[in-house]
Amino acid sequence: MDINLEGTGDGIEAATRISADLDIPVVFLTAHDDAETLQRAQGADPFGYLTKPATSVDLANSIQIALTRYRRQKSHHLREIWLEAQLEGVGEGLIAASPEGTIRFINAEGERLLGVSHVEIIGQPFTSAVPLRHRITGQPVQDLGRLAFLHGATMNVGEDYVVNQPAERKI
């Protein structure tokens, strides 16, 4: 895609629409090598940016790399969709958090148990979004998630801990 196109828009606008509407990877081939144009082009999320004059080998190599990167991205995205579908199908409440303790996923059963939607909880710190306390001692559990991450373990809360809310619900 060249950045200069005849008509009302330019190649950056066209590339943005092509990527969004048609899911086709774009490589820019342009005479523009200034920082402002490059920054605008990056907003289109291109798979390459070549400045003229470029050889046919340069162009062919850039297209090949772009296609390989696009296929990998597509494959990764499909795996994410499949995994999310599998996690949604689990019959128990499931919450996944980043190593820093930020919630990245909650399935429908987890939403039901906590009485929240994924929109409300995604991005929140685990310890504040899911306030746990020991069922017998009543002590709040603040670092259970971090402890599991440090040990590289999956955290199964089980029967000993409850959500620290007025209406107790086991998770």
Side-chain angles (χ1 to χ4, degrees):
M1 170 73 64
D2 197 347
I3 289 179
N4 284 335
L5 298 177
E6 292 183 23
T8 58
D10 67 5
I12 296 171
E13 293 168 19
T16 301
R17 290 188 62 203
I18 288 169
S19 293
D21 296 348
L22 303 174
D23 194 26
I24 296 173
V26 173
V27 174
F28 285 112
L29 176 61
T30 183
H32 297 280
D33 62 357
D34 59 286
E36 182 181 333
T37 303
L38 178 61
Q39 186 174 8
R40 278 191 60 232
Q42 287 173 336
D45 199 21
F47 281 74
Y49 191 96
L50 288 169
T51 53
K52 295 176 184 176
T55 68
S56 59
V57 171
D58 291 337
L59 182 58
N61 288 343
S62 290
I63 290 171
Q64 186 61 47
I65 288 171
L67 289 172
T68 300
R69 193 172 134 230
Y70 172 78
R71 288 182 192 117
R72 284 186 185 147
Q73 258 186 11
K74 196 68 158 171
S75 176
H76 180 72
H77 180 67
L78 291 173
R79 279 192 305 263
E80 284 180 349
I81 290 171
W82 178 85
L83 179 59
E84 189 169 320
Q86 299 303 309
L87 296 175
E88 278 295 339
V90 172
E92 297 179 7
L94 183 65
I95 299 172
S98 69
E100 295 79 30
T102 302
I103 296 176
R104 297 186 64 182
F105 174 83
I106 183 169
N107 68 356
E109 183 62 14
E111 289 178 312
R112 188 188 69 72
L113 288 169
L114 293 178
V116 298
S117 75
H118 66 280
V119 174
E120 298 171 279
I121 201 167
I122 300 295
Q124 298 297 313
F126 180 86
T127 54
S128 63
V130 186
L132 297 176
R133 64 178 170 80
H134 194 274
R135 181 195 317 269
I136 297 169
T137 68
Q139 293 293 325
V141 179
Q142 297 185 2
D143 292 326
L144 192 58
R146 185 161 304 282
L147 182 63
F149 286 122
L150 290 174
H151 292 283
T154 300
M155 184 175 64
N156 184 350
V157 176
E159 298 292 323
D160 290 332
Y161 296 94
V162 294
V163 175
N164 192 14
Q165 294 181 341
E168 288 189 8
R169 295 180 218 141
K170 291 192 279 185
I171 62 171

